[in-house]
Amino acid sequence: MESLTTWVEGLLADNDIFTLQTLSYYGDGLTTTVQLVLLSLIIGLVLAVPLAIGRGSKHQWIKMPIFFYCYVFRGTPLLVQLYLIYYGVVFIEGIQDTWLWVLLEKPFVPALIAFTLNTAAYTTEIFRGAIKSTPKGEIEAARAYGMSWWLMMRRIVLPSAFRRALPAYGNEVIFMLHASAIASVVTIIDLTGAARFVYARFYAPFDAFLFVAAIYLCLTFGILYLFRYLEKRLLAHLGSTTQTRCRTKKEGKAAFAAAS
């Protein structure tokens, strides 16, 4: 480890901006960004699944509150939501006298709440559309086997819907990664906050922000590769079906041409 540190110091000896201390700021910012995005996506996904099921309910008293929640959080900017939650917590009467204030006074938790509520709204609509597009034949087959509604949702509808929603959900993950750049406006030192610190210290906007842009780019390509891999594994049957249809179509054309 010491030899690696020495090698890095020698490599950066002639660089006034990117030193070990500066890179440590970016490293801390990267850790904060990954934690914020990952936690918000996990919690948002857990919330979105029951909300998506409730969104497709026939009962208005279940469907309408979820519709209103999704409409509000999808129809307003994430930055506004972050401001309202971060600054609005202070105005809740008696909140500073409870144990919740120990958590809410730190900017990370309000930002996590805002990001979670925002991504849960978008993910709810993604899964609602995937559930709604479930082939009727799969549902009829599950009913023919005597499955209950909950068993059918757990074994048939939700796994099938997850596979169909995977491409759209991958876009949502990338969107949340890019949207996390606004977390620095509430004093969180994420990647963008680290770039602002470097810019304020060295007055080098291009160096500071181009470097952080390269980090975001690498993270985006990593997410793209992960979801492409998942799509290839989980949607492999669709590729084989498409190839079979194309081959059958070509054989049919060849037979027709030979007959004529």
Side-chain angles (χ1 to χ4, degrees), residues 139-249:
I139 298 177
E140 292 174 357
R143 289 174 178 172
Y145 271 97
M147 291 186 181
S148 63
W149 183 84
W150 283 108
L151 186 61
M152 179 180 65
M153 292 296 296
R154 182 168 62 89
R155 290 189 175 181
I156 305 298
V157 177
L158 289 181
S160 177
F162 178 78
R163 288 194 294 268
R164 286 190 299 274
L166 197 59
Y169 185 67
N171 294 333
E172 169 61 16
V173 172
I174 294 174
F175 167 77
M176 284 306 301
L177 173 64
H178 295 169
S180 67
I182 68 173
S184 60
V185 301
V186 291
T187 69
I188 293 179
I189 306 300
D190 62 339
L191 278 172
T192 308
R196 288 183 176 180
F197 175 81
V198 174
Y199 162 59
R201 183 174 181 180
F202 298 99
Y203 299 99
F206 290 102
D207 302 80
F209 288 104
L210 283 176
F211 185 73
V212 81
I215 297 177
Y216 276 115
L217 195 62
C218 292
L219 291 175
T220 300
F221 278 125
I223 294 172
L224 283 174
Y225 177 81
L226 174 62
F227 275 90
R228 290 284 175 84
Y229 174 77
L230 291 176
E231 289 174 23
K232 185 177 180 180
R233 290 295 300 271
L234 298 179
L235 303 178
H237 62 287
L238 297 181
S240 60
T241 303
T242 303
Q243 292 175 2
T244 303
R245 289 177 179 176
C246 292
R247 185 168 57 252
T248 305
K249 189 175 181 180

Side-chain angles (χ1 to χ4, degrees), residues 71-148:
Y71 182 81
V72 169
F73 278 88
R74 292 173 68 235
T76 55
L78 178 57
L79 180 60
V80 175
Q81 300 166 18
L82 179 59
Y83 276 143
L84 288 175
I85 294 176
Y86 178 71
Y87 294 108
V89 169
V90 183
F91 295 97
I92 300 177
E93 186 175 355
I95 189 67
Q96 298 185 16
D97 298 327
T98 64
W99 61 271
L100 290 173
W101 182 246
V102 179
L103 299 174
L104 295 176
E105 67 175 347
K106 302 176 182 178
F108 185 87
V109 176
L112 178 62
I113 294 173
F115 283 24
T116 299
L117 293 177
N118 185 272
T119 189
Y122 280 94
T123 308
T124 296
E125 290 298 322
I126 291 172
F127 276 93
R128 182 189 72 87
I131 292 173
K132 189 176 180 180
S133 61
T134 302
K136 293 183 179 180
E138 295 182 5
I139 298 177
E140 292 174 357
R143 289 174 178 172
Y145 271 97
M147 291 186 181
S148 63

Side-chain angles (χ1 to χ4, degrees), residues 8-41:
V8 174
E9 287 178 347
L11 185 65
L12 301 175
D14 298 331
N15 197 311
D16 296 330
I17 298 177
F18 295 105
T19 61
L20 283 179
Q21 184 179 11
T22 302
L23 293 179
S24 68
Y25 291 136
Y26 283 108
D28 294 340
L30 176 62
T31 302
T32 303
T33 296
V34 171
Q35 289 177 347
L36 183 60
V37 173
L38 187 61
L39 286 175
S40 62
L41 287 172

